[in-house]
Amino acid sequence: MKKWLSTLVILCCAAFHVHAADEGVEDYAYYGFEPDIVTNYISNRKKLGFVKISVELMVKDPNDLVSLEHHDPLLRSAIVEILGNQSEDKVKSLSGREEIRRECYETVNRLMEQEVGKSIVVNLLFTKYLYD
């Protein structure tokens, strides 16, 4: 009885392992810009407005991190330019922040497609978003 039960447990474990491998579990990786991105934005006041963000790029293939690191200055420059062209109202609103994030995501993917021949970024996340 014990031998039969042991065999059944081993077969169930093997079947579960094969099933998990067939599901194609994604192995996502993240690339973070260091240091944080700090730039000015268009302010309605006399005081200069600034924004400080932490950006993480999500990719499906960990091997793509090398390409992101190589093109870091290009991507950082594009994000700084996008942020610098935003109005104060857009920077400070939640819907505006999402529009900015979406524009950064699309620009980063377009630039990576030009440089490496494919869009490798799955998502762009603002993990810190401070403004004044």
Side-chain angles (χ1 to χ4, degrees), residues 31 33 57 59 61-76 108 111-113 115-121:
Y31 178 78
F33 289 94
L57 302 176
V59 294
D61 185 2
N63 296 324
D64 290 334
L65 294 176
V66 175
S67 294
L68 290 175
E69 184 176 6
H70 178 73
H71 295 290
D72 180 298
L74 174 68
L75 302 176
R76 176 184 287 273
V108 164
L111 289 171
M112 289 308 293
E113 192 164 335
E115 296 299 319
V116 299
K118 62 180 180 176
S119 300
I120 60 175
V121 178

Side-chain angles (χ1 to χ4, degrees), residues 6-64:
S6 297
T7 305
L8 182 62
V9 168
I10 291 172
L11 286 174
C12 287
C13 289
F16 177 75
H17 178 69
V18 170
H19 178 68
D22 288 343
E23 286 183 16
V25 176
E26 300 290 337
D27 189 22
Y28 292 106
Y30 294 88
Y31 178 78
F33 289 94
E34 291 294 330
D36 291 347
I37 296 174
V38 180
T39 190
N40 299 330
Y41 60 84
I42 301 169
S43 177
N44 299 336
R45 304 169 287 156
K46 289 183 180 181
K47 183 180 173 186
L48 192 61
F50 75 91
V51 63
K52 178 180 180 180
I53 61 171
S54 294
V55 179
E56 299 283 330
L57 302 176
M58 182 173 146
V59 294
K60 280 187 181 179
D61 185 2
N63 296 324
D64 290 334

Side-chain angles (χ1 to χ4, degrees), residues 5 18 33 51 81 96 99 126:
L5 185 59
V18 170
F33 289 94
V51 63
E81 186 175 339
E99 288 176 30
F126 290 158

